[in-house]
Amino acid sequence: MASGEQKFPPQKQDAQPGKEHVMDPVPQFTNPDYKPSNKLQGKIAVITGGDSGIGRAVCNLFALEGATVAFTYVKGSEDKDARDTLEMIKKAKTAGAKDPLAIPADLGFDENCKKVVDEVVKAYGQIDILINNAAEQYECASVEEIDEKRLERVFRTNIFSYFFMTRHALKHMKEGSSIINTTSVNAYKGNAKLLDYTSTKGAIVAFTRGLSLQLVSKGIRVNGVAPGPIWTPLIPASFKEEETSQFGGQVPMKRAGQPIEVAPSYVFLACNACFFYISGQVLHPNGGNVVNA
């Protein structure tokens, strides 16, 4: 996927979470040139927001690498994307993996996160990899536009859920387990139009660093991934048509990234056999933006 000028057809979705199956073009979640090598054989992975976008690409690669995959989605809004992803994982999974799970949940609330973890443990007995990935975002021209209700909603999805999922999953994780949090390039460079979203992404960086220090003595690694502009349902569900058509053109590579260009970062960070000496770090698949991280 070379660098170069790129534009998308103008498009807008009226509500979040966005729907992948109506996007034009549909995001790329796989690559025929990717060569799996059983990096995650026998692992049980939970991926929040796994029905579409980066989450779908991670589900697919994890399945190809031998993991048993469970993912969450928003019931009613993401049902078709979730069904499609579930079928993709079933086709991608290796012989030693168990059947995947798709679990509907609003992860902004502690009791819902506990239910997700309980369902995964009931099905598989343990959790080896937790990917905190669910997110939502809304544009604003001024901080004065962000009322208490919206602020709470964005923080519940984007950072509260990371705390809740982690605290319940840890009861079922052991030495060698891995937690990977999705943050954003916006945490490092700021974004005037996505103030509340950007604030949550900065919180995720701090959460990742602090949690890594807290869990290092238990042999559990905690890392993050900070994507740049990636073509996912979040984009047409967040921005105006003209902004969507030019999305990604501001980075040095002059184009948006695809989910499959981000997902290998999660495989890298989850693989103990190759990369156990990494914790408290953030990877930056962002189209060439230089960040001091």
Side-chain angles (χ1 to χ4, degrees):
M1 301 178 188
S3 302
E5 297 288 342
Q6 169 196 271
K7 284 194 174 183
F8 296 104
Q11 56 200 282
K12 179 81 173 80
Q13 297 187 26
D14 294 330
Q16 289 193 41
K19 298 174 176 61
E20 182 153 322
H21 64 275
V22 301
M23 293 176 68
D24 180 20
V26 175
Q28 299 172 29
F29 71 90
T30 189
N31 183 345
D33 293 329
Y34 183 86
K35 305 299 181 186
S37 56
N38 297 319
K39 295 181 183 71
L40 305 177
Q41 192 71 38
K43 301 295 184 182
I44 307 298
V46 182
I47 301 161
T48 68
D51 63 285
S52 62
I54 293 171
R56 172 183 283 184
V58 173
C59 285
N60 183 65
L61 289 195
F62 275 28
L64 290 172
E65 292 289 356
T68 294
V69 175
F71 68 89
T72 70
Y73 68 98
V74 177
K75 187 175 182 178
S77 300
E78 299 177 320
D79 292 351
K80 176 171 171 39
D81 284 344
R83 288 194 300 269
D84 291 346
T85 299
L86 195 62
E87 288 305 310
M88 293 171 189
I89 301 171
K90 287 179 180 178
K91 292 177 182 178
K93 82 180 188 74
T94 62
K98 298 177 182 178
D99 287 338
L101 281 177
I103 306 172
D106 180 350
L107 298 176
F109 298 89
D110 183 76
E111 62 269 25
N112 295 343
C113 292
K114 184 179 186 302
K115 288 177 182 177
V116 169
V117 169
D118 288 347
E119 185 168 344
V120 172
V121 173
K122 181 179 179 181
Y124 307 133
Q126 66 190 64
I127 295 173
D128 301 299
I129 304 165
L130 172 63
I131 308 296
N132 288 310
N133 173 70
E136 60 184 275
Q137 67 180 19
Y138 305 92
E139 278 195 300
C140 69
S142 168
V143 66
E144 296 170 296
E145 298 177 13
I146 304 172
D147 60 17
E148 182 177 356
K149 182 178 179 181
R150 170 171 149 177
L151 187 66
E152 181 179 358
R153 180 66 249 175
V154 173
F155 268 74
R156 280 194 174 278
T157 300
N158 294 11
I159 181 64
F160 283 19
S161 71
Y162 287 35
F163 274 88
F164 298 152
M165 285 297 298
T166 298
R167 82 186 200 92
H168 293 298
L170 274 174
K171 299 179 180 69
H172 310 282
M173 303 178 86
K174 58 187 179 181
E175 183 176 354
S177 296
S178 179
I179 298 169
I180 305 170
N181 302 314
T182 303
T183 177
S184 168
V185 68
N186 291 313
Y188 297 88
K189 69 181 186 66
N191 191 313
K193 293 184 177 181
L194 298 171
L195 185 59
D196 43 356
Y197 171 84
T198 297
S199 299
T200 65
K201 293 302 179 175
I204 292 167
V205 173
F207 174 67
T208 298
R209 291 171 174 172
L211 186 64
S212 73
L213 297 174
Q214 190 176 98
L215 298 181
V216 67
S217 63
K218 297 182 179 180
I220 298 175
R221 298 182 300 114
V222 184
N223 292 289
V225 179
I230 308 299
W231 185 238
T232 75
L234 199 60
I235 305 313
S238 302
F239 301 125
K240 301 177 181 66
E241 288 189 359
E242 182 62 23
E243 292 173 302
T244 301
S245 69
Q246 299 178 15
F247 179 71
Q250 74 277 19
V251 302
M253 289 188 182
K254 303 299 182 184
R255 66 171 180 85
Q258 292 290 337
I260 186 57
E261 297 179 287
V262 180
S265 295
Y266 295 81
V267 175
F268 172 91
L269 292 172
C271 178
N272 286 338
C274 303
F275 313 112
F276 195 76
Y277 201 51
I278 295 178
S279 192
Q281 308 304 312
V282 178
L283 300 184
H284 296 272
N286 64 24
N289 276 322
V290 178
V291 296
N292 296 313

